[in-house]
Amino acid sequence: MSSESDYVTLISSEGFEFVIERRCALMSGTIKTMLTGPASYAESKENTVTFPEISTRILEKVVEYFHYKVRWAHSSEVPDFKIEPDIALELLMAANFLDT
């Protein structure tokens, strides 16, 4: 059985909470630094990261990508990750910030 620390809560600018596996969240360099870095970030104690600049729609797609990346990490045939054109720019900016 998993402990609570195996999960992380990511919170969008609208306050929507995504509870995801920690190993998936650590696909982001930014989140990884916040949760495991040498500095004493509040996020590492609470296992919660709030993104005041990332909307729910974009954070949902980011979470979907984290799971996709973990799922297909060691596969030789990786399917395309579908991105709707109307969110591409905003998603690119979030991915850049998250170091994904």
Side-chain angles (χ1 to χ4, degrees):
M1 180 168 248
S2 295
S3 70
E4 206 171 305
S5 64
D6 291 338
Y7 293 89
V8 175
T9 303
L10 307 180
I11 305 173
S12 72
S13 60
E14 295 92 354
F16 191 90
E17 298 182 2
F18 296 89
V19 179
I20 67 170
E21 290 180 87
R22 185 181 191 86
R23 68 188 181 112
C24 293
L26 295 181
M27 293 292 101
S28 161
T30 302
I31 294 173
K32 185 175 184 176
T33 299
M34 290 175 162
L35 295 177
T36 64
S40 183
Y41 290 102
E43 290 86 357
S44 66
K45 294 178 183 131
E46 300 170 4
N47 284 318
T48 300
V49 182
T50 302
F51 298 103
E53 300 297 323
I54 302 177
S55 70
T56 299
R57 183 176 183 202
I58 298 302
L59 191 55
E60 180 177 26
K61 197 66 172 180
V62 167
V63 167
E64 185 181 326
Y65 177 74
F66 291 163
H67 285 94
Y68 167 88
K69 194 168 179 181
V70 168
R71 164 68 175 92
W72 298 103
H74 303 291
S75 297
S76 58
E77 293 186 33
V78 179
D80 289 339
F81 182 75
K82 306 273 190 245
I83 298 172
E84 299 79 20
D86 62 319
I87 67 166
L89 181 59
E90 197 175 352
L91 187 60
L92 180 63
M93 291 187 308
N96 184 51
F97 171 73
L98 293 170
D99 189 22
T100 302

